[in-house]
Amino acid sequence: MKEIDFNNQAWGQIAERQYVWFRQALLDGVHLLNPYIQDELGNLSGKSIIHLQCNVGADTIVLAKMGKHAIGVDLVPGNIFYAKKLSDDLGVTNIDFIEADIMKLAEKHHEKYDVVFVSEGAVGWLPDLKKWGTAIRHLLKDDGFLYVFDTHPFFLMFDTDKLANGIMDIQFPYFGKDPDVDCSLGYTYEMEKNTKAYFWMYKISDLINSLTSAGLHIEYFNEFRELFFNAGGMSGHDKEMLFNYDFNNDKFPSTFSLKATVYNK
Ligand SMILES: C[S@@+](CC[C@H](N)C(=O)[O-])C[C@H]1O[C@@H](n2cnc3c(N)ncnc32)[C@H](O)[C@@H]1O
């Protein structure tokens, strides 16, 4: 079995639990798109949006409400099943979901969109960012844009158990090429025995070069102290979904955002 098949199996195990959690979060009015994302995305009215690695579609639902139409893409059949159920539950109709591996999306899906959206725990599950960049260019209209908000690779290096106690210790090398194999997906959910989940370290240069070589122009690259989940020992705002260590006023970034447009039309 390949790494992506293992990841498919691992994410499939938690699809129903994610559906239950996100359904409640949407009903409770949790800001699933945090204030940085909301601010940087701006007004999406009238726009068609494709949301890559949409999980059970909660953010896709928020995006559909902001734009004309949203389509979510995910590798895992269970995620697509629960994404459709979640949008049905909430009566959202300007939305679709498709099951696909982002690494193969450019070969299979030929619609063009105003916005490609990627966020929060997405990039590291992809083994080849060159293919990611090519897929994004393929999906964008010539006047469209890509928006990404994800974990900063600087933060990904640290042992978070130690960070919770204020100790900064590099566990995962920045230039590491082999994927990290874990028996969980970083959630507290209990997983089946023999679960394997493969996560690839990405560098800032990987992010930028994969997009520019696909014909995109980076409009901005921003860095933020806060993370989008509590990695342990963090303070934060559950409703805003932004968390940070009390000691990290100015030490390191936990997340980044970037916006890119098409220059090679
Ligand atoms: C942390 S979740 C992303 C969550 C997202 N921010 C959201 O909307 O809630 C990562 C997602 O990536 C998906 N995924 C992992 N590898 C993938 C691939 N090769 N192609 C498409 N989706 C993939 C997983 O199934 C999972 O739903």
Side-chain angles (χ1 to χ4, degrees):
M1 205 157 65
K2 289 193 185 142
E3 290 101 332
I4 288 193
D5 300 322
F6 278 107
N7 286 351
N8 191 336
Q9 240 179 34
W11 283 103
Q13 287 178 45
I14 67 168
E16 185 177 0
R17 288 173 280 185
Q18 291 278 85
Y19 158 77
V20 171
W21 190 90
F22 276 113
R23 188 177 190 280
Q24 196 55 50
L26 284 165
L27 294 173
D28 289 347
V30 171
H31 295 164
L32 293 180
L33 301 189
N34 69 52
Y36 293 129
I37 300 179
Q38 291 278 356
D39 187 43
E40 292 185 327
L41 266 183
N43 184 353
L44 297 185
S45 60
K47 296 204 183 295
S48 58
I49 303 152
I50 185 161
H51 175 199
L52 307 186
Q53 297 172 253
C54 68
N55 198 257
V56 293
D59 289 359
T60 326
I61 288 172
V62 179
L63 293 166
K65 289 182 177 170
M66 294 167 72
K68 183 170 84 181
H69 183 268
I71 180 163
V73 183
D74 202 275
L75 174 72
V76 175
N79 282 344
I80 298 303
F81 172 82
Y82 283 109
K84 289 180 177 165
K85 188 166 162 50
L86 190 58
S87 53
D88 285 349
D89 292 351
L90 295 167
V92 181
T93 53
N94 59 336
I95 199 162
D96 282 306
F97 293 97
I98 54 171
E99 181 191 316
D101 176 358
I102 303 300
M103 298 291 92
K104 297 181 181 156
L105 193 57
E107 299 156 31
K108 292 191 173 165
H109 191 76
H110 303 292
E111 297 282 316
K112 307 283 176 201
Y113 300 87
D114 297 313
V115 182
V116 175
F117 180 86
V118 177
S119 84
E120 302 193 341
V123 177
W125 299 107
L126 306 177
D128 184 343
L129 291 193
K130 277 214 154 209
K131 283 190 186 161
W132 178 69
T134 307
I136 289 165
R137 169 64 191 103
H138 176 76
L139 294 166
L140 275 177
K141 291 182 186 169
D142 284 350
D143 59 352
F145 71 86
L146 162 73
Y147 179 80
V148 185
F149 184 99
D150 211 334
T151 315
H152 200 296
F154 193 91
F155 180 81
L156 285 175
M157 290 194 297
F158 291 123
D159 177 337
T160 46
D161 290 342
K162 291 189 180 165
L163 270 187
N165 296 311
I167 301 161
M168 289 185 278
D169 187 32
I170 292 179
Q171 182 181 17
F172 303 102
Y174 188 76
F175 292 100
K177 285 198 170 55
D178 294 332
D180 176 53
V181 194
D182 204 344
C183 55
S184 90
L185 292 160
Y187 299 85
T188 50
Y189 300 133
E190 193 155 318
M191 305 294 288
E192 287 166 15
K193 259 193 196 163
N194 305 326
T195 298
K196 283 185 182 175
Y198 292 81
F199 187 92
W200 287 266
M201 187 66 175
Y202 47 90
K203 306 189 289 298
I204 295 174
S205 51
D206 295 332
L207 293 164
I208 291 175
N209 295 337
S210 63
L211 298 173
T212 54
S213 64
L216 298 178
H217 163 79
I218 313 279
E219 300 247 319
Y220 58 70
F221 183 95
N222 289 324
E223 297 168 292
F224 307 98
R225 293 165 178 77
E226 299 94 337
L227 191 63
F228 46 87
F229 64 97
N230 188 341
M234 293 174 148
S235 315
H237 308 281
D238 279 332
K239 281 237 165 186
E240 289 194 340
M241 301 292 275
L242 286 172
F243 304 88
N244 198 1
Y245 302 103
D246 292 338
F247 70 85
N248 184 28
N249 284 328
D250 57 6
K251 289 192 169 56
F252 55 81
S254 300
T255 45
F256 74 91
S257 69
L258 73 80
K259 181 177 180 181
T261 49
V262 176
Y263 77 79
N264 186 8
K265 298 188 194 232

